[in-house]
Amino acid sequence: MVDETIISKAIIESYFERLKNCLSVDVIIVGAGPSGLTASYYLSNLGFKVCLIEKKLSLGGGIWGGGMFFNKIVVQSQALPILNDFGIDYERYDREHYVLDAIELAGSLIREVAKRVEVLNGVCVEDVVVRDGVEGVVVNWSASFISNLHVDPLVLRSKVVVDATGHDAVVCRITAKKTKAFEVMGEKSMHADLAERLVVEKTGEVYPNLYATGMAVASVYGLPRMGPIFGGMLLSGKKVADLIADKLRS
Ligand code: 48F
């Protein structure tokens, strides 16, 4: 016979364990779109303790809608090794362009991340901890923002924070505003080829211990946007993981 009290106790105890595990980690990744999910996967595979924070209940960010609700996604050839790591199928469209299913991409990234990483969904990052660089984030339930209730937040600490919040570059904007150390320029208009190259090239440390990946990079540096081609997002997520691994090991 199942017991309601035990069901509640099991949920509360196991979630609190998860929350306690997130109090002090190697890397906090903010945003569970394609870049944040990819970075989370590779960093945890490299042995780092990762907490992934997503303000919505569902992970996946801009993957689900493909292009204009057409749930197909395009990647360029350089991103194929990443799709292979996740076991995601794709079809060759021409020499450079490959097509895949948006639902399979989202589902596969989420599945692999959920098996390895502590994920806090329905949790929103509203501020950063800054000492010798960024050393953590200030969080609250997304529900408290939606309901407009005045509730003080809690703090999660880490050696490195990654802004993977997409077009809004929320963590970089907050840090720029509070430190006055750099500027977030805002993304520019569409130029897919240039944007895909530059977003990977510029992926890296924006401020001590604060890294940007994915569309947040385009926002910080004023790069063009690229629309529904996702290779750059995956490659940026992998690159930020490699850069952080080098930093934390040195
Ligand atoms: O927007 P999103 O998918 O970011 P991305 O990884 O990928 C961009 C593409 O989806 C697409 C594109 C590609 O060609 O242009 O737009 O750069 O995912 C960002 C995630 O961050 C969450 C948000 O809900 C989304 O799932 N997020 C945003 N602000 C916060 C946040 C916050 N303050 N706290 C927690 N999560």
Side-chain angles (χ1 to χ4, degrees):
M1 202 177 73
V2 293
D3 179 317
E4 295 86 351
T5 305
I6 293 177
I7 295 168
S8 302
K9 195 164 173 274
I11 289 173
I12 291 168
E13 284 178 2
S14 55
Y15 189 82
F16 272 26
E17 202 49 45
R18 164 163 288 172
L19 207 48
K20 278 194 283 179
N21 282 338
C22 292
L23 285 175
S24 177
V25 296
D26 294 319
V27 187
I28 289 174
I29 298 180
V30 187
S35 64
L37 286 166
T38 307
S40 302
Y41 170 82
Y42 285 111
L43 274 165
S44 71
N45 268 3
L46 290 166
F48 296 100
K49 199 171 163 195
V50 178
C51 168
L52 172 63
I53 302 173
E54 167 55 51
K55 75 173 178 183
K56 295 191 176 152
L57 280 180
S58 55
L59 282 62
I63 298 174
W64 300 100
M68 214 175 128
F69 285 106
F70 296 179
N71 60 6
K72 290 285 183 178
I73 272 174
V74 173
V75 300
Q76 58 277 58
S77 50
Q78 299 97 299
L80 299 183
I82 298 178
L83 297 181
N84 292 337
D85 283 349
F86 285 91
I88 297 167
D89 292 336
Y90 47 84
E91 277 173 28
R92 188 175 189 266
Y93 192 76
D94 67 15
R95 199 151 53 92
E96 180 56 9
H97 303 85
Y98 292 76
V99 183
L100 55 140
D101 186 88
I103 313 298
E104 186 182 352
L105 176 63
S108 304
L109 296 179
I110 293 167
R111 178 175 194 271
E112 295 307 317
V113 166
K115 284 199 289 189
R116 295 168 168 79
V117 173
E118 298 288 13
V119 180
L120 303 179
N121 59 339
V123 173
C124 191
V125 170
E126 61 165 65
D127 205 344
V128 284
V129 179
V130 182
R131 304 274 155 85
D132 298 328
V134 172
E135 295 186 6
V137 295
V138 179
V139 291
N140 214 327
W141 302 115
S142 301
S144 72
F145 292 101
I146 295 162
S147 57
N148 208 18
L149 291 173
H150 183 160
V151 181
D152 268 334
L154 291 175
V155 175
L156 307 176
R157 301 290 298 264
S158 61
K159 296 173 186 157
V160 166
V161 172
V162 179
D163 187 343
T165 61
H167 300 258
D168 295 337
V170 178
V171 187
C172 289
R173 272 184 206 282
I174 293 167
T175 311
K177 188 171 162 213
K178 299 213 168 174
T179 62
K180 313 263 186 266
F182 65 99
E183 221 186 309
V184 174
M185 296 169 74
E187 76 191 23
K188 300 288 185 293
S189 53
M190 182 74 82
H191 189 322
D193 186 54
L194 191 60
E196 283 290 281
R197 277 188 280 123
L198 289 178
V199 86
V200 181
E201 207 176 291
K202 300 287 277 181
T203 292
E205 197 168 19
V206 174
Y207 180 81
N209 306 332
L210 172 62
Y211 286 70
T213 182
M215 280 314 288
V217 178
S219 285
V220 170
Y221 295 108
L223 309 180
R225 62 188 300 180
M226 73 290 285
I229 175 154
F230 278 69
M233 298 298 107
L234 305 177
L235 290 161
S236 170
K238 167 96 170 62
K239 180 177 173 186
V240 89
D242 291 338
L243 292 174
I244 292 168
D246 286 347
K247 180 190 175 95
L248 295 182
R249 281 179 182 146
S250 65

